[in-house]
Amino acid sequence: MAAIDTAAPPGKLRRDAGVVGLLFASTTSMIGSGWLFGAYHASKIAGPLSVWSWVIGAVIIMLIALCFAELSTMFSKSGALVHMSHASHGETLGRLWGWMLFLSYAPVPAVEAEGIVTYANNYLPYFIKGDGSGTLTLMGFIASAVLLSVLAVLNLLAIKALLKVNNTVTWWKIAVPLVTVVGLIAASTHWGVWHAAPGTYSSQGMFTAIPAAGIVFSFLGFRTAIDLGGESANPGRNIPMAVIGSVVLAAFVYILLQVAFIMALSPENLKNGWTALSFAGSAGPFAGLAATLGMGWLALLLYVDAYISPGGTGLIYVTGGSRILYAVGDTDSGPQSLTHTTKSGVPWLAVAVMWAVGVFFLLPFPAWQLLVGYISSVTVLTYGLGPIVLMVLRRSQPDAPRAFKLAGAEILAPLAFIASNLVIYWTGFYTDSILFGMLLGGFAIYALVFHLVQKKPASAFGWNNIGWLALWFGGLWVITALGTSKHALGMLGFWDGMAAVAIWSLVVIWFALNAALPAEETGALMERIQHGN
């Protein structure tokens, strides 16, 4: 059999990514600053129930990932998440979703850079303000911007070389958390901590911790394998294996880390309850616990890892985000100059844009947890489209080739959509109001440019295909506003709100399916996407 030619002509991407490269690309996107901080924040919100927060978060992400595993084999192009929405509901939705995806990627390298300087502040106290807010000083901002520059420069490597670097980093990123788990459990002496301060946490916190503590954020990286699909010689086999395998691997590591973190605590740490959990060195939680337990060698290892784990995640997110921008240019949703590549097949301008916007996000969200809340909300919202697209294509393109076909999709896809909306609900009214306000403002600008600047008629906008978005976003916002989160009206109980979200999600699915493009038009669009026309 002749070897597959993975070389790329000028302006095109190379197809050098194998299954291990894609698996590790997604894995390293998940095991970043989330593992360094997530267990600490989850414990403060949900106490020992935080272990179940990670289990529920993993199940939710797996439901969503399974939908994308099938879709990825139908759109095996880099930036595939952008192309999917074009095929189901037309160009307007595709363009809007492309930019939403970009806005979910761009802050991640920034949050990873902040994770690095936050840990470094334990021994170089120049980066974080001393007022307890966790915000960056001017020195911290400069250091984070420099780190982003390093990530951008490394991204100018050819994809094959970049993934080789990432593979080495990922082995380290898997090994260190597992060593941490073994070390903390072995040194733990307060096994009764599981039953400490029982009145200071609740089952509600178990769910709110999923977005608030960075649990969802920690799992979001599964999509990286999909973003690099156009750079794999066998995407039909490689992408589903990488997507599903990375979620399973990350879930295993994160659940063990949460167990080890709780077991390493002492009753003294919880004398004021789980919400007031504190100990020496809590700004770098795992390293602080290791030092408290007399494990200086582990604390040193964790301080070293605080550079490598977030750095590796930030590196690969610059890669994935630049491919989203490449797809934005490729679909005429943005400047075609975004598709300009180096001789090695790297979209250099897209990488530069990722760096610039990442630096910008250091300004309005200058604290790790603030950035995590925003990223979790906007990303899960973009993920919610995946189950919708899957249901549309199962109905309109039943005979389209699928290298991976999800069994039970008629049940799992609606469940995935409901789950993604529940995460938005758990995020709370304040964050959701900012999120939906930003989306409304962006949509208004897009509509004005479309009608007034480009002077295109309303018939070309595709209102019939995107009207259901108003029901989706508006309904979620109203239910959250009626709920019990901070600044909400408190008219709807927490569990009643969850039921309302589930029911409303089914209503939105009905409208979304009926607003999809005709089967013939979807088929023609998919043909054009696959052949790059």
Side-chain angles (χ1 to χ4, degrees), residues 63-64 66-67 70 387-388 390-391 394 406-419 505-506 509:
L63 282 172
I64 297 171
L66 286 170
C67 294
E70 176 174 324
I388 296 291
L390 178 61
M391 286 183 275
R394 280 292 186 96
L406 175 62
E410 63 279 358
I411 297 174
L412 295 181
L415 284 177
F417 185 68
I418 292 170
S505 297
L506 296 177
I509 287 173

Side-chain angles (χ1 to χ4, degrees), residues 24-34 105-116 144 147-155 162 166 169-170 173 217 221 223-224 305-322 351 354-355 358 375:
F24 278 17
S26 284
T27 301
T28 201
S29 295
M30 286 190 272
I31 303 178
S33 61
Y105 271 81
V108 176
V111 80
E112 301 302 337
E114 286 195 29
I116 292 172
S144 297
L147 287 171
L148 287 177
S149 301
V150 173
L151 299 179
V153 170
L154 288 174
N155 258 274
L162 180 67
N166 181 68
V169 171
T170 304
K173 291 174 68 171
F217 167 77
R223 62 188 176 183
T224 305
D305 184 68
Y307 288 92
I308 297 175
S309 282
T313 299
L315 176 70
I316 212 68
Y317 260 95
V318 173
T319 309
S322 65
V351 170
M354 279 292 294
W355 173 83
I375 295 167

